[in-house]
C-alpha cells in the first residue's frame, strides 16, 4: 500500500486531492518504461506511450502513466517493442549463448536443429537454464548439425524412431523437427530426409523446419512435402533450387505454399544462405519474409549477422516499413510456435518481455553471405531488455 508521501509525489494524485476529488488510489507497478515510441504491431500501436509492468505481466500501455514503480526506465527517444523472438538460432550449443542474446533484445529463441537424437540432451539443458524462453527443433539426423561434411549424406542417420524418442523425452523443450536439405548436407537424400522428418513430427503434431537452397531436388518437389505451419528457412537462398525460376520470377509453387500456410523465414546465416540480388528480386515481386531470424551462434558478432536488430535493419533498404520489420521479429515469430503464444505482444496481461531499441540514422554497411555489401541509412541497435518484468539489460 502507498503511504501519504508516495501518493503526493505523483502530480495527478496530488492535483486530485487539492481539487477535492475522491482520493485516487494510484496503482503500484514493478516497472514503468517511460516515454518511448511503442511499436507493437500485434495491437496496431505506434505512438509515444508508457508501459507499466506488474507481476511479470504487461499491466498498462498508456500516455503518462501515473503511479509508483519499484523501477523505471527512461526510454525517451527509443523504440519500445515486444521482446524479439529469433526462430532460427544455434543458441543451445553453448551455455553462454542465451545470455549473449539477452544483450541483443532477444527474449525468446529456437535452436534450429543443432542437436539430434544422439546429442539433444545438452541443447535441452541449455534451453531449460536460459534466462529467456528457449526451445529447440530436433534434427532428423541423429548427430544434429555437422559441418562441413553434412549430417544427411548417409540417410541412415535420419532415424525416425530415435527422433521420436527424443521428442517424447523432451516435450517441454521441443517445438518441431529440423532438416537441412542443401546438397552439401544431404546430397541426393533431401526428399527422403524430409519425408522422415514429417514422419517423426506427425504423432506430436509438430511443424518441420527445412533449410533450402542449392539442393539436388527442385523447389517444387520439396514444397510438395510441406504442410500448413511448416517453415522454410533461408528463403532467399540463391540458385540452384531457390524460390526463383531462371527468369527471376518467384515460382508459383512458392506462392501457393505461402497461401496454404507455409511460413517463409529469413535465416541470415553466414555462408550461402542469402545474397542481395535474390532479396531484391523477390521483394520487388512482393515476396517478403514472414519472420526474420539470425541463424545465430556465439561467433555471429564477427559475421554479417552481428545481432538480431542488425539483421532486421537490412529490410529497411528494400522499403519495408518499421512496423512490419518489428512484426517479423515479434508477433509473426510468436505465431509460428505455440510455445510463444503469449509473447511477441505488449497486450495487457501478456508476458512482460520487452526489447528497447535505438533507431539511428547514418551510413551503415550491411553484408550478405557472399561478401556483398549494401549501404543503408537506418540501423536498429539493441538498447535495453526486459524479461518477465525484470530489467536484464539496462538502457
Ligand atoms: Zn541454422
Amino acid at each position: 500500500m502507498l503511504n501519504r508521501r508516495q501518493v503526493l509525489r505523483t502530480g495527478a494524485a496530488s492535483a486530485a486531492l487539492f481539487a477535492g476529488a475522491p482520493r485516487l488510489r494510484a496503482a503500484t507497478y514493478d516497472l514503468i518504461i517511460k516515454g518511448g515510441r511503442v511499436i507493437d504491431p500485434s495491437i496496431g500501436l505506434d505512438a509515444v506511450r508508457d508501459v507499466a509492468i506488474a507481476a511479470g505481466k504487461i499491466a498498462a500501455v498508456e500516455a503518462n502513466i501515473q503511479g509508483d514503480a519499484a523501477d523505471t526506465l527512461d526510454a525517451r527517444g527509443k523504440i519500445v517493442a515486444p521482446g524479439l523472438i529469433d526462430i532460427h538460432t544455434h543458441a543451445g550449443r553453448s551455455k553462454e549463448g542465451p545470455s549473449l542474446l539477452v544483450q541483443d533484445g532477444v527474449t525468446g529463441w529456437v535452436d534450429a536443429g543443432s542437436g539430434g537424437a544422439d546429442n539433444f540432451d545438452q541443447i535441452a539443458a541449455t534451453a531449460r537454464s536460459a534466462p529467456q524462453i528457449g526451445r529447440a527443433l530436433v534434427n532428423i539426423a541423429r548427430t544434429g548439425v555437422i559441418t562441413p561434411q553434412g549430417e544427411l549424406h548417409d540417410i541412415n542417420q535420419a532415424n525416425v524412431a530415435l527422433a521420436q524418442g527424443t521428442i517424447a523425452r523432451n516435450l517441454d523443450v521441443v517445438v518441431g523437427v529440423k532438416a537441412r536439405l542443401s546438397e552439401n548436407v544431404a546430397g541426393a537424400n533431401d526428399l527422403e530426409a524430409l519425408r522422415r522428418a514429417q514422419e517423426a513430427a506427425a504423432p506430436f503434431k509438430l511443424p518441420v523446419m527445412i533449410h533450402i537452397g542449392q539442393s539436388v531436388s527442385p523447389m517444387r518437389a520439396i514444397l510438395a512435402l510441406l504442410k500448413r505451419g511448416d517453415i522454410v528457412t533461408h528463403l532467399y537462398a540463391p540458385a540452384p533450387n531457390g524460390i526463383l525460376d531462371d527468369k527471376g520470377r518467384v515460382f508459383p509453387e512458392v506462392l501457393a505454399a505461402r497461401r496454404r500456410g507455409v511460413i517463409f523465414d529469413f535465416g541470415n546465416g553466414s555462408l550461402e544462405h542469402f545474397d542481395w540480388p535474390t532479396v531484391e528480386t523477390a521483394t520487388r515481386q512482393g515476396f517478403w519474409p514472414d519472420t526474420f531470424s539470425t541463424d545465430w551462434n556465439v561467433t555471429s558478432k564477427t559475421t554479417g549477422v552481428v545481432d538480431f536488430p542488425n539483421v532486421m535493419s537490412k529490410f529497411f533498404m528494400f522499403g519495408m516499413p518499421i512496423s512490419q520489420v518489428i512484426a517479423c521479429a515479434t508477433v509473426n515469430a510468436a505465431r509460428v510456435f505455440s510455445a510463444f503464444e503469449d509473447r511477441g505482444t505488449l497486450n495487457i496481461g501478456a508476458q512482460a518481455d520487452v526489447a528497447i531499441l535505438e533507431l539511428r540514422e547514418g551510413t551503415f554497411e550491411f553484408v550478405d553471405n557472399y561478401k556483398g555489401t549494401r549501404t543503408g541509412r537506418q540501423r536498429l541497435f539493441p538498447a535495453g531488455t526486459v524479461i518477465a518484468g525484470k530489467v536484464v539489460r539496462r538502457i
Side-chain angles (χ1 to χ4, degrees):
M1 289 301 292
L2 295 175
N3 62 35
R4 182 173 164 77
R5 209 182 97 251
Q6 284 170 320
V7 172
L8 286 173
R9 212 166 62 207
T10 68
S14 54
L17 283 175
F18 288 126
R23 183 170 167 170
L24 292 180
R25 283 189 46 199
T28 53
Y29 301 109
D30 299 322
L31 173 66
I32 301 181
I33 305 168
K34 301 285 290 180
R37 176 183 172 191
V38 177
I39 303 182
D40 180 4
S42 80
I43 52 175
L45 181 65
D46 181 353
V48 173
R49 292 283 186 270
D50 294 347
V51 177
I53 292 163
K57 308 284 183 193
I58 304 292
V61 180
E62 291 164 23
N64 301 313
I65 293 175
Q66 302 297 322
D68 283 299
D71 196 2
T72 307
L73 289 178
D74 180 356
R76 284 175 296 176
K78 306 224 167 27
I79 290 169
V80 176
L84 308 179
I85 299 172
D86 191 343
I87 66 164
H88 180 173
T89 74
H90 296 281
R93 275 184 193 160
S94 64
K95 268 205 158 56
E96 67 271 26
S99 324
L100 292 170
L101 285 177
V102 165
Q103 298 302 310
D104 300 343
V106 175
T107 61
W109 51 264
V110 175
D111 182 286
S114 301
D118 293 348
N119 53 358
F120 191 80
D121 286 356
Q122 178 212 322
I123 309 294
T126 304
R128 289 184 187 109
S129 64
Q132 70 280 72
I133 180 172
R135 294 291 184 266
L137 308 175
V138 173
N139 199 309
I140 188 59
R142 58 187 294 174
T143 57
V145 167
I146 49 174
T147 50
Q149 63 271 47
E151 60 269 17
L152 288 167
H153 287 290
D154 172 7
I155 193 62
N156 294 320
Q157 297 293 314
N159 184 309
V160 172
L162 287 177
Q164 288 179 337
T166 303
I167 297 168
R169 282 194 305 279
N170 296 281
L171 287 173
D172 59 325
V173 168
V174 177
V175 293
V177 176
K178 176 79 185 283
R180 303 200 302 158
L181 301 182
S182 46
E183 193 277 333
N184 64 344
V185 177
N189 294 326
D190 48 8
L191 297 179
E192 180 57 20
L194 177 50
R195 277 185 211 104
R196 293 186 189 191
Q198 293 290 14
E199 192 183 342
F204 304 95
K205 297 189 165 37
L206 291 172
V208 170
M209 179 189 279
I210 58 163
H211 149 149
I212 62 151
Q214 302 99 37
S215 56
V216 169
S217 297
M219 177 56 60
R220 72 171 64 82
I222 291 170
L223 291 175
L225 296 177
L226 296 184
K227 62 186 186 294
R228 179 179 188 80
D230 286 345
I231 306 111
V232 172
T233 191
H234 309 313
L235 91 153
Y236 299 127
N241 295 319
I243 62 169
L244 304 176
D245 70 15
D246 53 15
K247 295 204 168 63
R249 293 169 305 205
V250 178
F251 280 117
E253 290 87 352
V254 171
L255 300 174
R258 169 167 276 177
R259 281 196 299 274
R260 65 186 165 84
V262 171
I263 312 291
F264 287 85
D265 172 65
F266 179 53
N268 191 117
S270 58
L271 280 176
E272 301 177 344
H273 295 321
F274 91 96
D275 65 357
W276 297 124
T278 304
V279 178
E280 183 148 56
T281 306
T283 58
R284 272 198 192 145
Q285 295 166 68
F287 202 78
W288 298 94
D290 295 305
T291 54
F292 298 147
S293 66
T294 56
D295 199 1
W296 187 93
N297 64 58
V298 289
T299 68
S300 289
K301 270 277 179 270
T302 57
T303 71
V305 169
V306 188
D307 53 44
F308 198 11
N310 183 62
V311 170
M312 296 160 68
S313 304
K314 294 179 180 183
F315 287 85
F316 291 140
M317 298 190 291
F318 299 93
M320 188 185 269
I322 191 163
S323 60
Q324 190 58 31
V325 166
I326 303 272
C328 285
T330 59
V331 63
N332 292 5
R335 285 176 182 160
V336 175
F337 298 106
S338 57
F340 298 111
E341 67 188 357
D342 67 336
R343 320 266 170 157
T345 178
L346 300 175
N347 216 347
I348 307 303
Q351 164 90 5
D353 289 352
V354 184
I356 300 161
L357 305 169
E358 195 177 338
L359 181 63
R360 292 188 205 153
E361 312 279 332
T363 302
F364 304 101
E365 192 171 85
F366 297 101
V367 191
D368 68 11
N369 285 182
Y370 294 83
K371 298 193 167 75
T373 59
R374 296 234 172 165
T375 302
R377 300 285 164 217
Q378 292 182 306
R379 206 286 213 190
L380 289 163
F381 286 84
T385 313
V386 173
I387 294 173
K390 300 266 185 315
V391 181
V392 288
R393 173 178 170 167
R394 192 159 281 275
I395 299 173

